[in-house]
Amino acid sequence: MPSRSINTEKAFESINSDTSSADPSVASVVSTKWGSMILEIQGELNLPDSKPKTLSQKEQDLFTTVAIPQLVANGQEITKDAVKFGKLEIEQDMKKATLYISTSQRLVGNVESVDPPLGVLKLDSNNNGQCEIVDVISKKVVFKVRPLPIM
Amino acid sequence: MDLYSVIGPTPQITPSSSLRLVELGPEVLQAIENKSELYLKSAGSDDYPVLVTPSKTFKIRQKSHSNCVLLIQNQGETGFAYSQFNNELLLSSIEPSVNIKGVSVLKHLSQKPEQKPISLETIYENSPISKNEFEQLRPELNLVDLEGSCYIMHDELVCDCLSTILRSTIEELVDSGDEMHIMTRLQSIDADWVIQAVQKHQEEQFPREIRDTVLAKYTTRTGSSLSFRNEKIVRLYGVLLLKNSPADTKLDDFTLNLRLNMPSNYHPDIKLEYLNGNYIEENGCIRYFAETDLSPIPAERISELFKLKKEWKLGEIEPFVQRINTKNLKTEKFLIKFAKVRRSGKNIIVTGR
């Protein structure tokens, strides 16, 4: 295998940006300059394999179409069906987080530092096997406990 | 923040592109911060991949997990997961290596072996090694690029070139009236002065690439000053002499011959330990034996060693077992598993079970 150069321009910008001052919103604490964040749940998140064909209006409202971020899409417009699976809230102390799943369950978790940080490596089998570290993530939201009922 | 997920999130973004999460240790992170170039490399299509910074080589391995790790794009009031991972790539620092497959050995300058030209750049590209490590390891492997084609210089050719360098330098020192301090001067001497002396005195014209490779291997450079590495030089001369000596050569005769083999007026300390891993000493005689001829399997290697000699001093056996002592245990502790280790006066003696 000949050697492949890894483009790190976006990773460099991600490391050298101060997201908290640019965007004071709570979510920015766990996001990078490019808007990437990692959410980790113990076990599995069961999502449908495809969008069901017959849906009620209420169910239909849970679905939308999203575009894959340009950070990884290489200038292509890639759209995919997406489904709403919850609501994330991060407390003012920026340490605790709550993930509400539907209207009946909630998960309590923490904002943790990722040490060592995780790079998002994009590998492209076209373009002579182009490699790029598109982002560097140093915080994540982790949910380690079982879901609790919403009372 | 409302969270959405694409239907069936995977690391595959398009049919040709995919994402991986990779742990970035301090060295890699520093390389990104310094805008240094990073590369993915491998010795061959079947070999493990490595990531290299300008000065370090990291083996890439995959750690799988059963957690649901989602990569989310934060868009203010909403976030959507577009990729899900069940593994991460870990980087662990490794000893680099150079892929010298297909590179011929050059024994005589006048008889270059026929081979498909392989450039230094091609060897670097196909080796799991960083640029700085390659530049350090290349002279150690006697790897030299002559007119766009690489060769591994035979030790005899290296020795001829080194002798020429030492003779020329010493002659020039004598001519300049420094004959009383030759060994001291060889420990701190101007690099350009040495090169000029070699150009002036050398009877056989060695190409610049060979001369520079030999100098890089057998001297230490500090700024513009060179220091000849006597221990390595003695090792080269000693091993070549041992290979050409009969098996029953007396130790005293060998030491004398070694002195005679070296350029005149070059008198480094000669210690047998400089030849570690290349000789066996028994009953006052010394014979050549290369550590690389032994089995890489620990039990087999120990058994082979006791067939060669029934009783070893710890210092003697140490160089032959270093390679198999992968956990870097104390040698006597490591050997207890395979042999009897006992103290006899000041010495530690190792015998077979």
Side-chain angles (χ1 to χ4, degrees):
Chain A
M1 168 184 136
S3 69
R4 303 252 188 271
S5 170
I6 304 174
N7 185 335
T8 56
E9 279 177 33
K10 288 175 185 165
F12 173 81
E13 285 189 44
S14 177
I15 292 171
N16 290 287
S17 65
D18 185 3
T19 50
S20 55
S21 61
D23 180 359
S25 68
V26 172
S28 71
V29 174
V30 290
S31 307
T32 65
K33 172 184 176 159
W34 306 117
S36 305
M37 60 182 271
I38 282 181
L39 189 137
E40 187 174 326
I41 303 168
Q42 301 281 301
E44 280 184 44
L45 183 68
N46 283 318
L47 294 168
D49 293 334
S50 60
K51 186 178 173 182
K53 288 194 175 130
T54 49
L55 293 170
S56 67
Q57 188 55 47
K58 196 179 169 187
E59 289 166 336
Q60 185 70 43
D61 290 344
L62 293 172
F63 285 87
T64 185
T65 305
V66 296
I68 297 296
Q70 278 307 306
L71 184 69
V72 297
N74 259 2
Q76 297 177 58
E77 276 297 325
I78 308 165
T79 54
K80 288 191 175 180
D81 285 329
V83 60
K84 185 177 176 183
F85 69 90
K87 188 176 175 74
L88 177 69
E89 282 182 3
I90 297 175
E91 289 178 13
Q92 287 297 326
D93 64 1
M94 311 292 180
K95 287 177 184 166
K96 299 275 179 203
T98 309
L99 176 63
Y100 296 92
I101 306 274
S102 184
T103 52
S104 57
Q105 289 184 321
R106 70 191 163 99
L107 293 163
V108 178
N110 299 307
V111 176
E112 290 183 1
S113 291
V114 185
D115 188 25
L118 287 172
V120 181
L121 176 67
K122 193 180 79 173
L123 301 165
D124 201 336
S125 55
N126 289 341
N127 302 324
N128 293 323
Q130 201 181 52
C131 306
E132 186 176 11
I133 298 179
V134 292
D135 213 340
V136 177
I137 297 170
S138 53
K139 293 251 176 176
K140 64 180 176 181
V141 189
V142 186
F143 298 95
K144 290 179 180 168
V145 294
R146 287 164 180 268
L148 303 166
I150 295 174
M151 306 300 281
Chain B
M1 179 198 284
D2 288 333
L3 290 179
Y4 289 79
S5 172
V6 300
I7 304 287
T10 67
Q12 200 74 32
I13 299 299
T14 67
S16 67
S17 70
S18 60
L19 299 178
R20 306 298 294 265
L21 292 179
V22 54
E23 279 191 0
L24 304 175
E27 289 108 335
V28 182
L29 216 52
Q30 190 66 50
I32 294 173
E33 282 178 15
N34 294 342
K35 290 193 168 180
S36 305
E37 290 187 330
L38 303 183
Y39 291 93
L40 281 180
K41 298 176 84 180
S42 154
S45 51
D46 296 335
D47 287 280
Y48 57 84
V50 296
L51 184 146
V52 299
T53 66
S55 56
K56 294 271 282 183
T57 307
F58 298 91
K59 186 176 179 176
I60 302 174
R61 60 190 179 87
Q62 183 172 295
K63 182 184 82 174
S64 297
H65 55 72
S66 56
N67 293 353
C68 169
V69 174
L70 295 167
L71 181 61
I72 291 176
Q73 180 67 22
N74 172 16
Q75 294 180 331
E77 291 304 305
T78 59
F80 71 89
Y82 60 95
S83 207
Q84 183 178 338
F85 303 90
N86 57 13
N87 62 62
E88 284 167 12
L89 301 179
L90 308 185
L91 305 178
S92 49
S93 183
I94 55 159
E95 283 295 316
S97 62
V98 177
N99 181 6
I100 49 174
K101 199 175 163 189
V103 182
S104 303
V105 174
L106 180 66
K107 203 164 182 180
H108 302 288
L109 270 180
S110 53
Q111 296 168 357
K112 282 189 194 155
E114 282 186 18
Q115 68 171 27
K116 194 179 157 197
I118 305 172
S119 71
L120 212 51
E121 195 55 34
T122 308
I123 293 175
Y124 166 67
E125 291 268 317
N126 292 316
S127 299
I129 189 167
S130 69
K131 195 77 184 170
N132 290 359
E133 289 167 324
F134 183 72
E135 278 162 15
Q136 281 169 13
L137 207 52
R138 183 192 64 77
E140 297 302 321
L141 296 169
N142 297 345
L143 194 60
V144 67
D145 188 333
L146 296 176
E147 295 160 1
S149 190
C150 278
Y151 299 94
I152 295 166
M153 290 185 287
H154 192 276
D155 277 347
E156 284 178 11
L157 179 64
V158 173
C159 191
D160 286 348
C161 181
L162 182 61
S163 298
T164 300
I165 292 170
L166 282 169
R167 267 199 304 271
S168 308
T169 309
I170 291 169
E171 276 176 36
E172 191 65 16
L173 283 170
V174 171
D175 289 351
S176 61
D178 244 345
E179 67 270 24
M180 300 306 287
H181 312 287
I182 287 170
M183 291 312 291
T184 316
R185 286 296 313 276
L186 289 178
Q187 292 310 300
S188 177
I189 193 162
D190 185 69
D192 291 339
W193 193 89
V194 171
I195 288 165
Q196 279 169 16
V198 173
Q199 283 167 346
K200 186 176 160 189
H201 288 272
Q202 74 174 352
E203 52 277 19
E204 191 181 350
Q205 287 290 330
F206 284 99
R208 184 179 56 81
E209 292 82 359
I210 291 185
R211 183 197 67 204
D212 290 349
T213 304
V214 172
L215 275 174
K217 185 172 180 180
Y218 292 98
T219 62
T220 310
R221 195 169 182 135
T222 316
S224 62
S225 174
L226 292 183
S227 169
F228 281 85
R229 301 170 72 178
N230 293 333
E231 186 178 329
K232 272 184 104 172
I233 295 171
V234 170
R235 184 179 173 88
L236 174 70
Y237 281 92
V239 171
L240 281 175
L241 179 64
L242 261 183
K243 281 181 182 175
N244 296 319
S245 301
D248 57 352
T249 306
K250 295 275 180 218
L251 189 54
D252 292 343
D253 293 346
F254 169 74
T255 315
L256 184 66
N257 285 339
L258 183 51
R259 285 223 178 273
L260 292 173
N261 256 24
M262 292 191 181
S264 55
N265 288 323
Y266 179 65
H267 303 299
D269 282 345
I270 292 180
K271 291 182 185 167
L272 214 51
E273 67 196 51
Y274 293 169
L275 310 182
N276 270 350
N278 286 284
Y279 73 91
I280 293 177
E281 187 196 351
E282 206 170 16
N283 303 327
C285 292
I286 185 168
R287 67 179 194 271
Y288 174 71
F289 185 79
E291 178 269 329
T292 46
D293 291 344
L294 292 165
S295 166
I297 302 161
E300 282 180 20
R301 176 172 282 224
I302 301 287
S303 157
E304 285 169 10
L305 283 168
F306 286 117
K307 276 180 195 160
L308 288 166
K309 196 174 157 180
K310 286 181 179 166
E311 195 173 282
W312 292 79
K313 284 182 187 163
L314 185 68
E316 287 174 346
I317 201 169
E318 205 160 16
F320 293 106
V321 296
Q322 245 168 15
R323 193 188 297 270
I324 53 172
N325 182 6
T326 48
K327 288 180 181 168
N328 281 328
L329 298 174
K330 265 187 144 183
T331 309
E332 56 260 51
K333 209 170 179 184
F334 170 75
L335 283 169
I336 282 172
K337 190 175 169 188
F338 305 98
K340 284 182 191 166
V341 182
R342 65 184 163 82
R343 191 170 285 276
S344 169
K346 284 183 180 175
N347 293 321
I348 295 176
I349 305 295
V350 187
T351 50
R353 286 193 189 279

